[in-house]
Amino acid sequence: MAWSTLRWINFRASAEHVTDGTNQVALVENSPGSLNIPIYPVELNVAGDTFDVGWNTVADGARNVSNPGDPRLAGVHFVDNGTQRTLRIDLGAARTINLHLAMGRNEQSTAPYWQILDDDSVLDTVDMSGSATGTSGFYDANGTLHSSPANWVANQTAKQYTISSGILYIRIGTPSAASNSTPIATVGIQEVESALTTAIVSGM
């Protein structure tokens, strides 16, 4: 899988709900009507490249949503806080990436909690379980709240991580009882060029 171009994984219940954009692919329910989030490994193909992705357990947690204005925000996979589930994305090799996230749900207020892991090593914990998004708000990868889908599309920013194992995990949901839920709408991944490569290209 080549991650040099920004690729998006969109989360929703059914593939036909919307048409994904360029360099986007949807991860959808296990079987039509089940609403179950799909367990790893699911092979996805985006722009001719394949990779494996999926959740650690099967559970009711896939939904389509209405009127998002962008296919990346047209659905979610989610857990009720107090429960945790982990998404695995195989990057194929050790990589430094810019990670984009939309944590929230259109037309509903949520209170996300998530962790970024390099295999079993926790790199980052973002706890917004005490700070609800408000109706249709989304947090980005840096934990910045955007008040609407349009605001997220225009202003969301990525956060950089080095995934030495080549296996990226995103764990969602609070580790202990808390109100509300943690939905994930989309993940964007792009490999960061090394400083050496950039220097060589600039010097040519």
Side-chain angles (χ1 to χ4, degrees), residues 56-94:
N56 64 325
T57 58
V58 175
D60 179 358
R63 297 291 187 274
N64 296 328
V65 301
S66 60
N67 306 314
D70 189 293
R72 292 171 294 179
L73 307 179
V76 295
H77 291 178
F78 73 96
V79 298
D80 294 328
N81 283 334
T83 303
Q84 292 188 304
R85 294 193 180 92
T86 304
L87 177 75
R88 173 173 172 165
I89 304 172
D90 289 350
L91 302 179

Side-chain angles (χ1 to χ4, degrees), residues 138-197:
F138 291 88
Y139 285 101
D140 67 18
N142 286 288
T144 300
L145 178 60
H146 302 279
S147 59
S148 68
N151 188 277
W152 178 89
V153 169
N155 298 301
Q156 65 88 22
T157 57
K159 191 166 185 178
Q160 188 173 120
Y161 298 96
T162 296
I163 309 300
S164 300
S165 67
I167 302 173
L168 168 66
Y169 287 102
I170 302 174
R171 181 180 295 147
I172 66 172
T174 58
S176 56
S179 61
N180 218 312
S181 63
T182 296
I184 183 169
T186 192
V187 173
I189 299 170
Q190 184 173 21
E191 187 169 14
V192 178
E193 282 190 39
S194 70
L196 176 60
T197 301

Side-chain angles (χ1 to χ4, degrees), residues 77-139:
H77 291 178
F78 73 96
V79 298
D80 294 328
N81 283 334
T83 303
Q84 292 188 304
R85 294 193 180 92
T86 304
L87 177 75
R88 173 173 172 165
I89 304 172
D90 289 350
L91 302 179
R95 301 182 193 276
T96 297
I97 60 171
N98 284 329
L99 183 70
H100 300 256
L101 290 173
M103 306 297 294
R105 180 170 175 173
N106 194 41
E107 300 181 341
Q108 183 172 314
S109 184
T110 63
Y113 174 106
W114 70 94
Q115 293 181 306
I116 307 301
L117 298 88
D118 175 9
D119 198 1
D120 59 358
S121 298
V122 176
L123 302 181
D124 207 357
T125 298
V126 183
D127 184 359
M128 298 300 177
S129 60
S131 304
T133 59
T135 303
S136 299
F138 291 88
Y139 285 101

